[in-house]
Amino acid sequence: MLGKGGKRKFDEHEDGLEGKVVSPTDGPSKVSYTLQRQTIFNISLMKLYNHRPLTEPSLQKTVLINNMLRRIQEELKQEGSLRPVFVTASQPADPLSDNFREAQPAFSHLASQPLLPTDLVSTTPLESCLTPASLLEDDTFCTSPTVQHDGPTKPPPPALQPVKDSFSSALDEIEELCPAPTSAEAVAAETAADDSKDHPSESNGQKPEGLPESRTAESKLMDSLPGNFEITTSTGFLTDLTLDDILFADIDTSMYDFDPCTSATGAASKMAPVSADELLKTLAPYSSQPVTPNQPFKMDLTELDHIMEVLVGS
Amino acid sequence: FLGAGGGNDIQWCFSQVKGAVDDDVAEADIISTVEFNHSGELLATGDKGGRVVIFQQEQENKTQSHSRGEYNVYSTFQSHEPEFDYLKSLEIEEKINKIRWLPQKNAAQFLLSTNDKTIKLWKISERDKRPEGYNLKEEDGRYRDPTTVTTLRVPVFRPMDLMVEASPRRIFANAHTYHINSISINSDYETYLSADDLRINLWHLEITDRSFNIVDIKPANMEELTEVITAAEFHPNSCNTFVYSSSKGTIRLCDMRASALCDRHSKLFEEPEDPSNRSFFSEIISSISDVKFSHSGRYMMTRDYLSVKIWDLNMENRPVETYQVHEYLRSKLCSLYENDCIFDKFECCWNGSDRQVIFHRTVTFFLPPLCSIVMTGSYNNFFRMFDRNTKRDITLEASRENNKPRTVLKPRKVCASGKRKKDEISVDSLDFNKKILHTAWHPKENIIAVATTNNLYIFQDKMN
C-alpha cells in the first residue's frame, strides 16, 4: 500500500504521472508537465491549509512546502511573459527525456513572437524546467486537478487528446487566416491599420481565462506567502484566502471551454481583430483608465490581472 | 574484532525483539529514538509518550558462550510530560526526540533526553542496599515513641533487591522557540549543544539558567525564510568544532573560536545538483535528516531522503562516497509527497568503533578505529547496510517472522521494475507505514538495535 489515506483515484493519477515512459508523445508531455505542476501546487496548498494540528506544525515541512509553492509561482510568472507554443501533431516525435529539452531550440525562433502567457505550455528556459519529461511523459494521464474540489469523487477522465487535437486544428485554421506576424507591434500595427478601432496590444493584454484565476491566488500568495512562521495558527499562513478560493482559483478551464471567438487564449495574437475588439469592449467598463479611441492602448499586466480578477469574481 | 570487510562479511542473526506484539500500535509506544551508551552495556529508547526505557546487557555467561548477553529492561521512567503553550494555544509534544549518553564517571549513569522544547539530564543509579536499624523509626517507617527508646544503635546497610532509580538532575528549559531536533555532547564532557530549526545553543551541563546562542539563521523578515537547521553534532575530538545540516542539503562546519556567534561557517559542504535528476522534489529530497561524524572525526556521514553520503572533512565540494538507499522511490516522489512520507527523517549510523588490534610476534599494534560499515533504515521494515571497503550492500528486514535465534537473516530485494523474481518484493507492495527511522550500532561489538514503529529488534552477528 502506498501511503496512508488510500485515495485510490489519486494513486492511479499519480501512477499516471509517474508511470514509466511508454512511448514518445507529441502533445501531452508539456501538458503533463503543467498539469503535474498544478497538481503539486494544489497538494502543497492543501497541506498548508488542511493541517490543523494540536501541536505546532513542523517548521521544516512548512518551509519546504512553501519553497515548492514559490518555485511553481516563479515558473508561472516566467511563463507569463513567454509565448505559448502548442505542440501539434506535426511536431517531431522526439522520445522520452529529450523531448522537452529538444523542443526548446525548435521554438527559439519564436522567441521574438508576441509573447502570450498561458499555463498550458511552457517555453521557460531549461534551467527552470524542474521535471524531466521522462517523468511526465504519459498519454494516459487521466485525472485533472481541476475537479478535486468536488471532493473524493472520481473525476471523469478529461479527453485531453481529443480536445488537444481539435484545439490544435482550430488553431491551425486560425493561423491560416492570419499572416504570421513577427512582433507584437506588427500585429498591432496590422490590425490597427486594418481597423480604425483601437484594441489592446494583445501580446501584453490577453491571457487565458484560467491563468488570471490562478494568478489571483498566486499573487495573493506572493504577498502573504511566508507570513506566519512565528505565530502559528492552525490554518497555516494563508489566512486571507479560503479553501474555496484556492481550489476554485486553480481551475484552468481554457482547455475545455475552447471557443475561438471569445476565449482569451494564446491564439489571441492571431485572432481576427474583431474578437480582440470585442474583448476590449468587455474590458473597458472595468478599466480604471479611460480608453481613448485613437491611442494605441497598452494595458499593464498587473492592471489586467485586476480586471480579470474582477471578471472572474463576477 | 570487527571485520575489516573483505572476507569478513557479518552474518546477522535475530537476537531479541522488545515491545507489543499486536498490530494495533498505540501512539505513545512509537519509538522515537534509540541510543547505546559508551560501553554498549546499556541501550536506551525514547518514545512518543515521553518515556525512556533502558535495557541492560546481561553479563556474558560462560554456559552461553554462543551468544552475547541479552538485553533486559533495566529502568523505565517518564522523561517528559505533555505541556501546553498558552501563548500559542498549542500543545508541546512529550515525544522524546533524542537521547545522548554521557560517559560514565562514577557508579551512576547520566543521559540527556529532549523533547521539542526542554532538555533534561537524568541520573540513573542503582540501589542494592538499604540502611536498617534506625533509632527513631520502625522498619516499616513509622516513628517510634521517643520515650520507648532506651538504647542507641548504629544503622547498618543490608542488601536489598536491586532497584534502579532515575532522577532528573538538571532541566534546561526555555531556550528554544522552535523545535529541538538535535543534542550533542562535546568531547570536553562539560558542554553540549542543542539545535532547533533556526538556532543552536551551547550549554554547560551544570548550568541551567542560561545558554549561549552560537548559531542563529533566523532572518530578520520571516517571510524570507527558506532554509532550516535539521541536525547538528560536535566533532568527536575537537571540542571547538561542530557541524550542522540544513533542509537544502548543505552542511556547515563551524569553529567556536572564530567568533561568539558562529554565523559564518568555516566550511560549507554541498554537492552540486545532478541536472539529470532534477525534479520538483529535488530540494525536499536533498534535505538532510541526520549527520554523524565517524569515530576518528575525519569523515562525516549524512542521510537525505534517498541516499547516504560520506564526506571527507577536507573536501567540501562533493562527498567521497554516495550510497543509494532506495533509489526505486525516485519515480514515486509525487505520491510520497502527497502522503507526507517524503518528510520522513531517517537516521544513519556507523559501525562500532573498536580499535583494530594487530598482534605481530611480541608487538601489539593499535590502529585507529575503523568506520567501514554504515547502516540506515528504509520502508517495509527494511534496513540497509553498506560496506565501504567491499562496496557491497545488503537489505535486511526486521520482522517477527524472522525470529529464529542464530539463524542468519535472509537478504531482501526490492524489484524496481520489470519482472519480479521469486522472493523479491515489488515497489508497489511496500508498506510505507512500516518505516525504520532509528537504528543504533553497539560501540564495540557487532550488535545492532533496529526500531520499527513500536518494536525494538536486536540483531547480533553469528558467532562461530
Side-chain angles (χ1 to χ4, degrees), chain B residues 186-253:
Chain B
N186 205 347
S187 48
D188 63 9
Y189 300 138
E190 285 185 355
T191 56
Y192 74 94
L193 63 77
S194 57
D196 67 30
D197 295 309
L198 298 179
R199 296 191 179 101
I200 302 180
N201 293 331
L202 180 72
W203 302 84
H204 192 284
L205 282 163
E206 299 290 330
I207 299 169
T208 59
D209 60 356
R210 60 181 174 274
S211 65
F212 291 99
N213 177 240
I214 52 178
V215 173
D216 189 341
I217 64 166
K218 183 180 172 192
N221 181 5
M222 279 297 269
E223 292 193 6
E224 291 162 7
L225 179 66
T226 57
E227 190 174 9
V228 300
I229 297 170
T230 52
E233 192 174 64
F234 264 118
H235 190 276
N237 304 323
S238 177
C239 60
N240 50 274
T241 307
F242 65 95
V243 295
Y244 67 93
S245 60
S246 83
S247 56
K248 285 195 175 172
T250 66
I251 308 104
R252 287 173 174 79
L253 184 139

Side-chain angles (χ1 to χ4, degrees), chain A residues 53-116:
Chain A
L54 298 167
T55 58
E56 220 166 330
S58 156
L59 186 64
Q60 181 198 356
K61 195 167 144 187
T62 310
V63 165
L64 288 170
I65 296 170
N66 202 19
N67 289 352
M68 177 79 87
L69 286 167
R70 273 193 220 170
R71 235 179 287 127
I72 294 176
Q73 279 188 356
E74 279 306 310
E75 256 192 41
L76 287 168
K77 235 183 165 183
Q78 280 186 4
E79 281 171 18
S81 57
L82 291 175
R83 184 182 202 277
V85 183
F86 294 106
V87 182
T88 65
S90 59
Q91 283 296 319
D94 289 326
L96 306 172
S97 58
D98 294 324
N99 196 3
F100 195 75
R101 291 183 195 148
E102 284 182 12
Q104 294 297 328
F107 301 139
S108 62
H109 73 281
L110 298 168
S112 58
Q113 295 291 333
L115 300 177
L116 289 166

